[in-house]
């Protein structure tokens, strides 16, 4: 949960890190692995964790429990985040509110990490083109993967506060169906299909909603703040799609073991706080819950893994799962989607293993500009050169039997080319939607474009945003900011005046592109 800005769902596929290994080279395969990469029984034991780290993990002063007063943040908080992950003995972690620090934390742990996906792991992270921004593959054994998705649902308005303040069941359900239910629709659509294909699925997140498994008649009879049972829509939709709540599988009685994750304490806590379990590890497919526990402050309620001082305003959850990892579908996975012309582009692949297969770089018209054979191998990495190529959109493709069987888009940019954000025109009438486009963006999970008032023509404050939209982690793209955008309920239409649009990475407040200036005139 956060009160600084409403957080939309964060679904994004991962990138290999610079330390990328080819598929089939999982760093920590079971000691009992057979020659085909599976453990002797085909099972792997994984500890999967979810953790909201509070504005990047370096915004909390551990001594005062308040916001960090140091301009460059409080790095000791990040160190405690790393200690919490180690203490939990996690293998895979979904991070919420990372603000560009996922790869930084992963590097300190000696792990793989993706600022785009908000997932880190001690196993290689793979970007499947078919992920469509919803899930990643994690190679937990050589040539065998699980699917991992991470999300952060909108926090405001918060349903339990409405209950506390006298809202009816209908009002609460209407709020949830409008605010949080839409943010799980891609998950509900995509993840069950993976499970049906025999791929173990894990979904981590800060769902900013209680679970329907917790607000039961029995709980309502015991907890005054639970004024009535609620079948919370987000958790209900995920459960109906076959995603199981690992904590409730391990602790089925919500009266005896509430497992609250919100909140162990927060600079932003409501004076009349409602405590609840809003951080979950869900699973589907060939996966069995062995155990699950809360990770939080020492001595905290239901905390099974304790650390002092605790560095964030959420407790985490770590679940032990017994899974049967699966062979992935054929895929190509570029090391980066932003390529500097003249450099090399590593591309990992999983192929059928036929003779004549190759990985190629295609131009915008689909013509092959360079290619490399894979050899008669299922898994590996090829290096594609980009020297002498033109700027623009390209694709890496896996050819098998003379046909493209997997393809992923990349963009080539000139050395030193800046990130750009533009508006469709320099002047808009009041109420007219504002067209925004961008290029060479970081492509992180929560990059966003926002409108700021700039009456004097120059402005530096990035915290006073008006109305905005997320980029869906696109490197190049466009959107329209208007009456349905985030913040529009209080800030749209913007009145006549001077404005700028900024591009800011990963839900942070640091602009990475020169502002696009425009004005709004009367109707």
């Amino acid at each position: 949960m956060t009160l600084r800005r409403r957080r939309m769902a964060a679904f994004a596929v991962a990138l290999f890190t610079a330390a990328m290994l080819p598929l089939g080279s999982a760093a920590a395969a079971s000691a009992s692995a057979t020659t085909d990469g599976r453990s002797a029984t085909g099972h792997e034991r994984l500890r999967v964790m979810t953790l909201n780290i509070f504005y990047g993990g370096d915004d909390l002063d551990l001594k005062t429990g308040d916001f960090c007063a140091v301009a460059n943040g409080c790095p000791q908080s990040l160190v405690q985040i790393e200690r919490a992950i180690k203490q939990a003995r996690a293998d895979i972690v979904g991070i919420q509110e990372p603000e560009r620090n996922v790869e930084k934390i992963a590097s300190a742990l000696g792990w793989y990490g993706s600022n785009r996906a908000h997932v880190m792991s001690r196993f290689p992270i793979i970007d499947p083109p078919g992920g469509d921004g919803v899930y990643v593959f994690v190679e937990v054994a050589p040539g065998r993967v699980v699917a991992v998705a991470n999300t952060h649902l909108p926090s405001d308005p918060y349903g339990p506060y409405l209950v506390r303040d006298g809202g009816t069941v209908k009002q609460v359900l209407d709020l949830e169906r409008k605010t949080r239910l839409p943010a799980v629709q891609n998950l509900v659509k995509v993840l069950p299909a993976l499970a049906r294909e025999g791929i173990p699925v894990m979904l981590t997140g800060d769902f900013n909603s209680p679970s329907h498994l917790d607000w039961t008649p029995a709980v309502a009879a015991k907890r005054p703040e639970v004024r009535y049972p609620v079948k919370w829509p987000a958790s209900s939709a995920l459960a109906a799609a076959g995603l199981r709540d690992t904590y409730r599988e391990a602790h089925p009685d919500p009266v005896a073991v509430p497992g609250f994750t919100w909140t162990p304490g927060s600079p932003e806590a409501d004076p009349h706080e409602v405590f609840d379990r809003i951080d979950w590890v869900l699973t589907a497919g060939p996966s069995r819950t062995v155990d699950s526990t809360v990770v939080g402050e020492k001595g905290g309620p239901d905390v099974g893994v304790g650390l002092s001082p605790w560095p964030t305003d959420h407790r985490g959850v770590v679940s032990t799962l017994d899974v049967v990892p699966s062979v992935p579908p054929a895929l190509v996975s570029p090391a980066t989607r932003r390529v500097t012309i003249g450099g090399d582009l590593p591309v990992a692949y999983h192929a059928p293993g036929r003779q004549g297969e190759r990985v190629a770089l295609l131009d915008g018209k689909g013509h092959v500009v360079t290619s490399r054979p894979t050899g008669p191998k299922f898994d590996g990495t090829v290096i594609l050169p980009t020297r002498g190529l033109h700027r623009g959109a390209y694709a890496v493709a896996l050819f098998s039997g003379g046909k493209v069987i997997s393809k992923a888009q990349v963009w080539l940019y000139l050395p030193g080319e800046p990130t750009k954000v533009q508006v469709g025109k320099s002047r808009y009438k009041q109420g007219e939607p504002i067209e925004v486009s961008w290029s060479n963006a970081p492509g992180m999970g929560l990059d966003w474009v926002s409108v700021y008032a700039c009456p004097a023509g120059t402005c530096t404050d990035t915290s006073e945003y008006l109305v905005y939209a997320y980029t869906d982690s696109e490197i190049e793209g466009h959107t329209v900011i208007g009456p349905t955008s985030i913040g529009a309920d209080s800030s749209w239409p913007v009145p006549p005046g001077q404005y700028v649009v900024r591009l800011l990475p990963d839900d942070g407040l640091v602009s990475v592109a020169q502002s696009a200036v425009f004005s709004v005139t009367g109707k």
Side-chain angles (χ1 to χ4, degrees):
M1 177 179 286
T2 177
L3 301 181
R4 179 185 289 170
R5 184 166 72 253
R6 297 181 207 182
R7 310 271 178 157
M8 296 301 286
F11 316 128
V13 292
L15 300 175
F16 277 121
T17 63
M20 176 186 72
L21 294 177
L23 189 66
S25 58
S30 169
S32 60
T34 62
T35 55
D36 71 352
R38 302 186 70 175
S39 67
T41 62
H43 291 251
E44 299 290 339
R45 186 67 60 95
L46 300 176
R47 287 176 67 83
V48 182
M49 183 177 181
T50 186
L51 185 63
N52 181 314
I53 65 173
F54 189 71
Y55 298 138
D58 55 4
D59 214 1
L60 186 66
D61 188 324
L62 297 180
K63 294 181 179 179
T64 67
D66 207 340
F67 282 107
C68 182
V70 182
N72 62 350
C74 293
Q76 196 58 35
S77 295
L78 270 179
V79 172
Q80 282 296 91
I81 294 290
E82 295 157 13
R83 287 174 179 163
I85 293 170
K86 290 179 182 177
Q87 192 90 352
R89 296 181 291 112
D91 299 308
I92 299 168
V93 184
I95 297 289
Q96 302 88 48
E97 296 189 33
E99 298 194 3
R100 300 187 292 173
N101 278 335
V102 168
E103 291 176 12
K104 183 176 182 178
I105 298 169
S107 178
L109 294 169
W111 283 17
Y112 303 86
S114 170
N115 281 339
R116 184 185 182 203
H118 302 159
V119 170
M120 63 177 67
S121 171
R122 66 186 185 90
F123 304 103
I125 297 171
I126 301 165
D127 173 1
D132 295 327
V134 179
Y135 64 90
V136 308
F137 285 145
V138 177
E139 189 192 7
V140 300
R144 306 281 167 162
V145 301
V146 299
V148 180
N150 180 66
T151 191
H152 188 183
L153 302 195
S155 65
D156 182 32
Y158 186 47
Y161 291 167
L162 178 58
V163 176
R164 176 200 63 193
D165 297 339
T168 65
V169 174
K170 182 180 184 306
Q171 289 172 325
V172 170
L173 292 177
D174 286 347
L175 169 66
E176 295 299 310
R177 288 166 182 152
K178 176 183 177 182
T179 306
R180 276 163 282 277
L181 186 59
V184 301
Q185 293 311 303
N186 275 352
L187 299 168
V188 167
K189 183 186 303 182
V190 173
L191 298 184
L194 292 171
R196 288 192 296 269
E197 293 170 7
I199 300 174
V201 174
M202 292 101 206
L203 170 60
T204 60
D206 168 7
F207 292 83
N208 279 311
S209 167
S211 171
H212 68 289
L213 300 174
D214 294 356
W215 280 52
T216 64
V219 171
K222 293 288 186 179
R223 288 177 54 195
E225 63 272 28
V226 179
R227 295 177 51 229
Y228 37 70
V230 178
K231 189 174 182 180
W232 295 94
S235 66
S236 298
L238 292 165
L243 287 150
R244 310 186 309 274
D245 187 325
T246 61
Y247 191 81
R248 277 290 160 251
E249 286 189 322
H251 308 281
D253 186 348
V255 175
V257 188
F260 295 153
T261 60
W262 176 259
T263 171
S266 168
E268 299 177 322
D270 191 280
H272 306 286
E273 192 56 75
V274 180
F275 301 101
D276 225 305
R277 187 177 70 91
I278 63 175
D279 302 85
W280 315 327
V281 176
L282 308 182
T283 189
S287 170
R288 178 178 65 86
T289 300
V290 176
D291 189 24
S292 183
T293 193
V294 173
V295 185
E297 74 284 14
K298 281 187 177 179
D302 299 325
V303 170
V305 178
L307 184 70
S308 182
W310 182 246
T312 173
D313 63 341
H314 284 244
R315 298 182 186 99
V317 175
V318 63
S319 297
T320 303
L321 305 176
D322 183 273
V323 306
V324 181
S326 174
V327 174
L331 61 84
V332 281
S333 178
T336 179
R337 295 180 297 152
R338 295 197 298 173
V339 185
T340 299
I341 295 172
D344 290 333
L345 174 61
V347 181
Y349 64 86
H350 176 72
R354 305 189 188 104
Q355 290 290 336
E357 291 175 339
R358 58 186 174 135
V359 173
L361 185 65
L362 310 181
D363 64 17
K365 296 181 179 180
H367 300 146
V368 174
V369 294
T370 185
S371 69
R372 292 291 184 270
T374 63
K377 297 191 300 182
F378 294 100
D379 307 297
T381 298
V382 300
I383 305 297
L384 299 178
T386 65
R387 190 183 306 275
L389 298 181
H390 296 291
R391 179 194 183 282
Y394 290 75
V396 292
L398 174 62
F399 282 84
S400 181
K403 297 180 180 179
V404 174
I405 61 172
S406 181
K407 186 164 63 174
Q409 194 165 22
V410 296
W411 286 262
L412 269 58
Y413 294 104
L414 298 170
E417 183 172 345
T419 300
K420 297 177 183 177
V421 61
Q422 298 175 309
V423 289
K425 53 187 180 180
S426 61
R427 183 174 298 169
Y428 288 91
K429 293 181 180 179
Q430 186 176 10
E432 186 180 2
I434 302 160
E435 299 172 335
V436 182
S437 60
W438 59 89
S439 65
N440 202 10
M444 297 183 188
L446 290 176
D447 291 357
W448 56 298
V449 287
S450 183
V451 174
Y452 294 80
C454 197
T458 60
C459 46
T460 58
D461 188 359
T462 57
S463 64
E464 297 298 326
Y465 41 82
L466 298 173
V467 59
Y468 63 96
Y470 286 105
T471 69
D472 294 330
S473 77
E474 293 180 357
I475 302 296
E476 291 194 3
H478 67 276
T479 190
V480 175
I481 293 179
T484 61
S485 297
I486 309 167
D489 52 351
S490 59
S491 300
W492 187 269
V494 296
Q498 297 292 317
Y499 295 88
V500 299
V501 170
R502 293 190 174 104
L503 171 61
L504 307 100
D506 213 22
D507 235 12
L509 296 174
V510 178
S511 179
V512 293
Q514 183 174 352
S515 301
V517 181
F518 68 97
S519 63
V520 173
T521 62
K523 293 184 177 180

